[in-house]
Amino acid sequence: MSAVPDEPMAKATRLVLGFLPQDRQPKPDEVQNAVNAIFGMLAAQGEDLDRDQLAKEIEAMTAVFQERSLALVDPKGHEPWLPEAKNDRAWDFWERYRRYLEDVVNLPPWVVRRLDQSSDEVLSQLEDPRRSGPWRRQGLVIGQVQSGKTGQYIGLAAKAVDAGYRFIVVLAGIHNDLRSQTQLRIDEGLLGFDTQHQNRSNEDGRSRAIGAGAMPLAKKLDIASPTSSAEKGDFGLATAKAINFPLGSFPVVLVVKKHYKILEYLRNWVIDVHGTEDENGEKVVKDLALFVIDDEADNASINTVRAPEADPTKTNAAIRRLMKSFDKAAYVGYTATPFANIYIDPSVNHDVAGEDLFPYSFIRSLPSPSNYLGPERVFGLQVDDEDEEDVQPLPLVRHVNDADTWLPTQHKPGDVPGDRLPQSLRDAIFSFVLACAARRARGQTKVHNSMLVHVTRFTAVQALVRDQVDDHLRLIVDMIRDRYGKGPELRAELRALWERDFVPTTDEFPADEVQRLTWEQVSEQLLPALRKIQVKTVNGTSKDALDYYENRRNGLSVIAIGGQKLSRGLTLDGLTVSYYLRVSKTYDTLLQMGRWFGYRPGYEDVCRLYTTPALEDAYVEVTAATDELRREVEEMAALSLTPKEFGLKVRSSSLGLTVTAANKMRQSAKILLSYSGEGPETVIFKLTGKTVENNFKTLETLVRRLDAVAEPVPGTPGGNVQWGGVPPEIISEFLTSYETDRMAQRVRPRLIAKYVEQCAKVGELGNWTVCLVGSTTSKTPQDIGDHTVGLVTRKALNDAFRAEGRYTIRRVLSPLDELIDLDEAQEAAARQAARKAAAQKEKSSVPKNPAGPHIRRQRRTDQGLLLIYPIELPKSDDDESTAPLVGFQVSFPHSDYQSKTEYIANTVWLQEDIYTIAEEDEA
């Protein structure tokens, strides 16, 4: 946000965008006509511009699309107010911030318009700050990791200030540097002044305008912040004593850490200054509306005490007491991993702490813009069921298999890494040097470049790793300066990596997205790129700081070595290379560690993620789980259901059982499990032992049983074989005998079998269709019982699957297969539901086929579908087995008796996590 734009180009860009249609995506010919017109006009005025570069900038901006957000809403106790307020209040803070996003940050106008729309939708679900109290609203906004949530809530805060909220508290993580980074973003986008030099915008003679406040002709708006962007700029007793301005007459914004002592200081200060006693003798603030924005709301804010009636954890209690101290209060949490928030019990109301933070008012899902480099694009996962074609992964992941001899996975705080860096880390450092040089060769010289090394949670070990990496980097610099000794040898090694890795990777990106470079162009930038790189540790004991803001004019190039501090919220600007070995017990922690997601305009092709195959498999699982959760939000929003109904659904479904820490699940000992309306499918297959052969024998047994109870309906030779009217016990027997890999956390066949049995007891799932899916184009026929089918192919995500002992794919399901047993009326209803959902999201295209949730919504309660895929396993000379892999997908209808078909999953099962290393808090 703090980049210095090229003024003539920025001016030309603004003019062209203003020339284009504002109510829709412009067409390519409209873009070219607008570029020609503005270029001609500015050239006539003597402006020196590169027309092709201008065209490329505009094409990139206009190609960005963002769908509309959808929400679950509960209107209980809410009074609609925003449409009227649009006309009776000045919206100066928002207008200034909007202009800043468009003119300085250079966000595409359609993305700014979506931000305007989504922030309006969130604001409208809060109460009018002018409404007489008491009232309370609590909501949750779900975004993607590093996708722009901060920018969205700054926009929301700007509108809240305009609407009349005069006391805004932003809860920003648990570490000083994240709080400081968030405050700086607030300074730039909302306050318009540097809080390290002043704490109110209208302090005479001391104005240090930055960001939105430093734009030409920017309005100077009255606003204050007792906290500052300095490392130690948090709220404290000294801050409280130094505040010399009144509350209520103008907006006051505080950015504070999530620490119970700081929150108590804040609460005590505000009730001392502004509180009055209520009928119970407690001090309450009655005439000042509080708005709390909780960034990373699933971290530290959750009450992890198991018994709901017990005293809550300190930070959770402090947030709740702050809310309870105002008779008018609004709370909005932001997170990319909302599982823990949805597990909060909405009925809890503690005598001292008050209500818990369940988002009972609304849950809104924010789609990411199309230029977001997210887990779906990195790992090649599908975003929607209706897209039958696989989304190919970007070729950015590099597997690490050599680090254990250097630093074992389960090392201890006092362990010392091996003397020699593993070759994979040396390659990663070389890749970072090449990425920095390539960006310079593309003209991206005064930009930030970051590399993440995340291999340990122990600060003492991080310091040793830092010294090793720093020594290695200095050796590279010394060698490359040596023209006659080691220099040519090093350049040859870098060139080999460039030509082996970077050239073919760049070739897989469209030519209009990234510039092709020769080795000569990159080579001449190696030394200038290397000279800028610094190595820093980022943890609680380190004095290093990632001072991107101080280096905003020339750019900071840094290799950041850390653990917990780098794992949540903290943005690494210009991150290109990540070397990531850190394991985690839970999905939400794992996904939050993905600092490599975000926006990489013009340099996506030089980004690299070095990680282990097991961690990549885990990311595939967690991404599928979170995408499933977002789709569930959208589907239930279309049905006008409330957050409490959604919370019940997730707490009782297979979506969230292993995605968050057991202590964040308030009902962790009594999780109720249901597969109602879900479509579990196998994507990870165990290759070790006799699993492949045993699963194939289980399939042959199933086929013989099916032939005995139902007449098979064969299709085209080699194609599908289908059985109808199958009783549920045959399905349960197959699932109970099927063996999965331990990494397959979300597909537990025995639990699915148990669910089928429970449903059958209440008269559901009594009439199954089973389809053995074959390929008519396959050159590999397979006899299964008395039937011959062509084996289907599913490409492995992990090339080294034999060494790893597991075969991982994106999807086993071909989405259209879920339609197999629907009648014409059901299929038509599913297609209509898909079109309606696309219209609600304002998607740029209408789906050709309905997604799985729309199909399953149309199923009768007795109508289950089991799809079985015999998959061809690529053969090698060493293979003893000739059996194919056996994959399946189950398409479940929605249950009318969900509460009766759920069952208790015990804590032992919950703790059977992917990993064995426990998470520990760090300094």
Side-chain angles (χ1 to χ4, degrees):
M1 266 197 165
S2 53
V4 181
D6 172 5
E7 189 48 45
M9 184 60 71
K11 176 183 174 184
T13 303
R14 285 197 300 273
L15 289 169
V16 174
L17 291 173
F19 208 68
L20 293 170
Q22 299 300 301
D23 58 342
R24 59 175 172 81
Q25 296 284 116
K27 297 171 184 172
D29 59 335
E30 291 174 325
V31 170
Q32 292 305 320
N33 290 338
V35 167
N36 290 337
I38 299 303
F39 177 75
M41 181 187 80
L42 292 177
Q45 295 174 5
E47 294 276 11
D48 183 21
L49 277 174
D50 182 329
R51 189 216 167 276
D52 291 341
Q53 187 187 346
L54 175 62
K56 190 176 282 191
E57 291 250 348
I58 299 296
E59 284 164 4
M61 293 176 80
T62 54
V64 176
F65 179 77
Q66 187 171 17
E67 294 169 0
R68 184 166 188 170
S69 64
L70 292 178
L72 301 158
V73 171
D74 188 345
K76 186 178 177 182
H78 176 58
E79 293 183 6
W81 62 282
L82 188 57
E84 193 63 33
K86 285 286 184 180
N87 293 318
D88 67 15
R89 291 164 218 195
W91 296 87
D92 291 337
F93 280 95
W94 163 251
E95 286 302 323
R96 187 175 75 171
Y97 182 58
R98 180 190 59 75
R99 190 157 71 87
Y100 173 65
L101 293 178
E102 290 181 347
D103 295 355
V104 179
V105 184
N106 271 335
L107 281 188
W110 295 268
V111 172
V112 177
R113 196 170 306 119
R114 273 287 183 258
L115 192 152
D116 184 11
Q117 188 177 55
S118 62
S119 54
D120 264 3
E121 287 163 340
V122 175
L123 183 67
S124 70
Q125 288 304 317
L126 309 182
E127 291 307 309
D128 184 350
R130 297 179 182 178
R131 176 184 165 185
S132 56
W135 47 257
R136 180 159 169 164
R137 296 288 282 174
Q138 293 182 183
L140 181 70
V141 177
I142 306 169
Q144 288 259 32
V145 175
Q146 298 277 289
S147 66
K149 295 187 296 295
T150 308
Q152 210 275 349
Y153 70 64
I154 291 173
L156 175 63
K159 288 182 176 180
V161 164
D162 286 327
Y165 281 91
R166 290 289 172 263
F167 197 68
I168 297 181
V169 177
V170 179
L171 306 177
I174 58 174
H175 295 296
N176 284 332
D177 45 7
L178 177 55
R179 190 214 66 82
S180 174
Q181 184 184 75
T182 304
Q183 175 89 51
L184 179 59
R185 294 283 301 277
I186 296 274
D187 290 0
E188 291 181 318
L190 176 61
L191 302 175
F193 62 88
D194 188 344
T195 49
Q196 292 199 35
H197 299 284
Q198 61 187 101
N199 63 12
R200 186 174 174 187
S201 59
N202 65 355
E203 290 180 4
D204 293 332
R206 295 176 57 196
S207 180
R208 297 288 187 98
I210 61 171
M215 293 186 300
L217 305 177
K219 273 192 176 181
K220 193 172 181 183
L221 304 169
D222 197 7
I223 189 167
S225 175
T227 56
S228 87
S229 62
E231 182 81 2
K232 297 182 178 178
D234 208 341
F235 195 87
L237 291 175
T239 316
K241 289 175 183 172
I243 294 171
N244 58 4
F245 46 71
L247 294 179
S249 56
F250 54 85
V252 174
V253 179
L254 301 98
V255 182
V256 300
K257 274 200 313 292
K258 286 194 231 185
H259 191 284
Y260 72 96
K261 283 186 179 175
I262 289 167
L263 290 164
E264 282 299 305
Y265 292 150
L266 175 58
R267 189 183 74 87
N268 290 335
W269 166 69
V270 76
I271 60 174
D272 284 349
V273 172
H274 228 72
T276 55
E277 282 195 6
D278 62 10
E279 59 275 11
N280 300 320
E282 289 187 25
K283 273 196 167 185
V284 177
V285 179
K286 292 190 174 179
D287 55 347
L288 186 68
L290 168 70
F291 180 24
V292 174
I293 295 173
D294 188 353
D295 194 8
E296 307 292 352
D298 63 313
N299 186 34
S301 305
I302 304 296
N303 178 20
T304 54
V305 173
R306 184 163 291 170
E309 65 279 358
D311 289 341
T313 46
K314 289 179 179 178
T315 301
N316 170 265
I319 297 170
R320 287 159 63 179
R321 288 190 71 196
L322 178 66
M323 292 284 293
K324 189 183 174 188
S325 298
F326 288 73
D327 72 343
K328 300 190 235 184
Y331 168 95
V332 178
Y334 280 78
T335 184
T337 46
F339 297 97
N341 305 82
I342 293 162
Y343 277 118
I344 295 169
D345 187 340
S347 63
V348 169
N349 195 342
H350 191 267
D351 288 345
V352 176
E355 293 178 61
D356 209 340
L357 301 175
F358 180 80
Y360 54 76
S361 303
F362 64 90
I363 299 174
R364 179 164 293 279
S365 176
L366 293 179
S368 302
S370 55
N371 63 338
Y372 169 66
L373 182 64
E376 293 84 4
R377 290 185 64 206
V378 171
F379 300 113
L381 302 171
Q382 287 178 297
V383 183
D384 291 307
D385 284 355
E386 68 257 19
D387 299 326
E388 190 167 354
E389 292 297 314
D390 275 345
V391 177
Q392 291 303 311
L394 293 176
L396 307 179
V397 181
R398 305 290 177 266
H399 284 163
V400 175
N401 295 302
D402 62 351
D404 245 25
T405 54
W406 170 65
L407 190 64
T409 302
Q410 300 197 34
H411 59 272
K412 296 179 175 58
D415 287 351
V416 176
D419 292 339
R420 182 177 168 80
L421 294 180
Q423 186 59 45
S424 57
L425 181 49
R426 290 157 56 87
D427 285 347
I429 294 167
F430 276 166
S431 292
F432 181 56
V433 173
L434 289 170
C436 294
R439 293 191 72 192
R440 290 182 68 86
R442 287 173 177 166
Q444 300 168 19
T445 53
K446 297 186 176 181
V447 295
H448 298 311
N449 294 287
S450 300
M451 176 178 174
L452 162 66
V453 177
H454 196 158
V455 295
T456 177
R457 68 185 189 274
F458 302 121
T459 55
V461 182
Q462 288 166 22
L464 296 172
V465 171
R466 180 214 174 275
D467 290 345
Q468 283 191 329
V469 171
D470 192 54
D471 286 346
H472 184 68
L473 189 70
R474 291 177 188 278
L475 179 64
I476 294 172
V477 175
D478 288 345
M479 285 172 66
I480 211 158
R481 283 175 174 154
D482 183 356
R483 293 188 178 185
Y484 306 106
K486 295 281 188 180
E489 183 183 321
L490 178 65
R491 282 184 184 269
E493 194 175 344
L494 285 162
R495 180 172 188 164
L497 180 61
W498 174 261
E499 292 176 348
R500 177 180 78 246
D501 187 327
F502 283 75
V503 172
T505 300
T506 299
D507 285 344
E508 294 195 38
F509 284 77
D512 59 345
E513 287 185 11
V514 291
Q515 179 187 348
R516 271 54 178 166
L517 296 169
T518 65
W519 169 248
E520 288 69 29
Q521 288 173 298
V522 175
S523 180
E524 68 183 34
Q525 296 295 336
L526 286 173
L527 191 54
L530 268 165
R531 282 178 174 144
K532 283 190 72 170
I533 299 173
Q534 306 171 55
V535 183
K536 297 192 174 193
T537 45
V538 183
N539 57 48
T541 62
S542 156
K543 292 188 167 47
D544 290 342
L546 297 179
D547 44 358
Y548 293 114
Y549 185 72
E550 295 301 319
N551 290 276
R552 64 192 180 281
R553 297 203 173 273
N554 294 311
L556 178 71
S557 289
V558 63
I559 299 176
I561 291 153
Q564 181 73 7
K565 271 192 158 187
L566 292 178
S567 71
R568 184 181 277 273
L570 193 68
T571 299
L572 296 171
D573 286 352
L575 179 64
T576 50
V577 178
S578 300
Y579 190 84
Y580 178 80
L581 307 180
R582 169 77 179 279
V583 298
S584 166
K585 277 177 70 74
T586 59
Y587 280 171
D588 48 4
T589 302
L590 191 68
L591 191 64
Q592 288 288 355
M593 288 179 182
R595 299 293 94 197
W596 47 85
F597 305 126
Y599 301 95
R600 308 285 185 267
Y603 64 101
E604 280 186 352
D605 62 316
V606 298
C607 294
R608 296 290 181 272
L609 167 57
Y610 286 80
T611 193
T612 64
L615 276 165
E616 184 177 15
D617 288 344
Y619 269 105
V620 170
E621 279 274 275
V622 66
T623 303
T626 49
D627 282 352
E628 202 173 330
L629 184 92
R630 287 190 186 91
R631 286 200 297 272
E632 196 76 31
V633 169
E634 291 164 4
E635 188 199 359
M636 295 185 78
L639 297 169
S640 302
L641 298 177
T642 67
K644 283 185 181 178
E645 290 168 311
F646 178 70
L648 174 65
K649 161 74 171 153
V650 173
R651 280 192 296 277
S652 67
S653 84
S654 65
L655 283 175
L657 282 174
T658 53
V659 292
T660 193
N663 65 357
K664 289 184 181 178
M665 301 182 194
R666 294 291 297 279
Q667 302 167 343
S668 58
K670 298 179 181 179
I671 292 289
L672 304 175
L673 183 69
S674 167
Y675 286 92
S676 173
E678 293 183 19
E681 62 180 299
T682 49
V683 292
I684 301 177
F685 301 90
K686 183 179 178 183
L687 301 181
T688 54
K690 293 289 183 181
T691 302
V692 176
E693 292 86 346
N694 291 343
N695 282 345
F696 186 67
K697 286 176 185 174
T698 299
L699 172 58
E700 290 188 305
T701 302
L702 170 68
V703 168
R704 284 193 289 271
R705 293 266 343 249
L706 292 169
D707 281 341
V709 300
E711 189 67 33
V713 183
T716 311
N720 297 357
V721 183
Q722 190 169 318
W723 297 263
V726 178
E729 56 269 19
I730 291 181
I731 308 299
S732 294
E733 286 171 16
F734 167 73
L735 291 167
T736 303
S737 302
Y738 185 96
E739 185 181 350
T740 58
D741 189 272
R742 71 184 185 91
M743 288 284 292
Q745 291 290 296
R746 296 185 314 120
V747 178
R748 306 262 182 143
R750 289 171 183 76
L751 298 184
I752 300 172
K754 177 86 171 176
Y755 175 73
V756 172
E757 292 163 14
Q758 297 280 16
C759 285
K761 289 177 184 175
V762 292
E764 294 186 335
L765 293 181
N767 183 15
W768 282 79
T769 297
V770 179
C771 184
L772 180 61
V773 180
S775 168
T776 57
T777 59
S778 171
K779 294 182 173 57
T780 317
Q782 178 74 47
D783 293 333
I784 304 176
D786 294 331
H787 305 277
T788 302
V789 297
L791 298 182
V792 300
T793 56
R794 295 291 185 266
K795 187 175 184 296
L797 287 176
N798 52 336
D799 295 333
F801 54 85
R802 283 186 178 81
E804 294 166 33
R806 65 174 61 90
Y807 192 84
T808 304
I809 61 176
R810 287 180 204 93
R811 302 206 68 182
V812 74
L813 175 73
S814 294
L816 281 176
D817 290 348
E818 269 197 280
L819 292 165
I820 278 174
D821 62 332
L822 297 194
D823 61 34
E824 288 184 7
Q826 287 175 310
E827 185 173 333
R831 291 184 185 280
Q832 177 60 29
R835 286 192 290 271
K836 181 181 175 186
Q840 279 189 313
K841 292 171 73 179
E842 295 182 10
K843 291 187 74 166
S844 54
S845 60
V846 177
K848 295 192 292 269
N849 299 301
H854 304 306
I855 295 171
R856 297 190 284 273
R857 180 65 66 180
Q858 302 308 319
R859 292 191 171 281
R860 298 183 303 275
T861 55
D862 68 329
Q863 186 183 12
L865 172 67
L866 172 63
L867 295 162
I868 300 177
Y869 295 85
I871 301 167
E872 182 176 0
L873 182 64
K875 294 289 184 284
S876 80
D877 296 338
D878 300 329
D879 283 351
E880 297 176 10
S881 170
T882 57
L885 300 176
V886 176
F888 69 80
Q889 192 259 5
V890 191
S891 185
F892 282 113
H894 285 260
S895 169
D896 286 341
Y897 296 92
Q898 190 167 316
S899 60
K900 295 181 181 178
T901 56
E902 294 160 359
Y903 67 95
I904 295 173
N906 63 35
T907 50
V908 173
W909 183 81
L910 283 172
Q911 289 162 3
E912 257 181 48
D913 279 307
I914 298 173
Y915 303 110
T916 56
I917 295 180
E919 286 294 299
E920 296 176 12
D921 286 336
E922 294 177 37

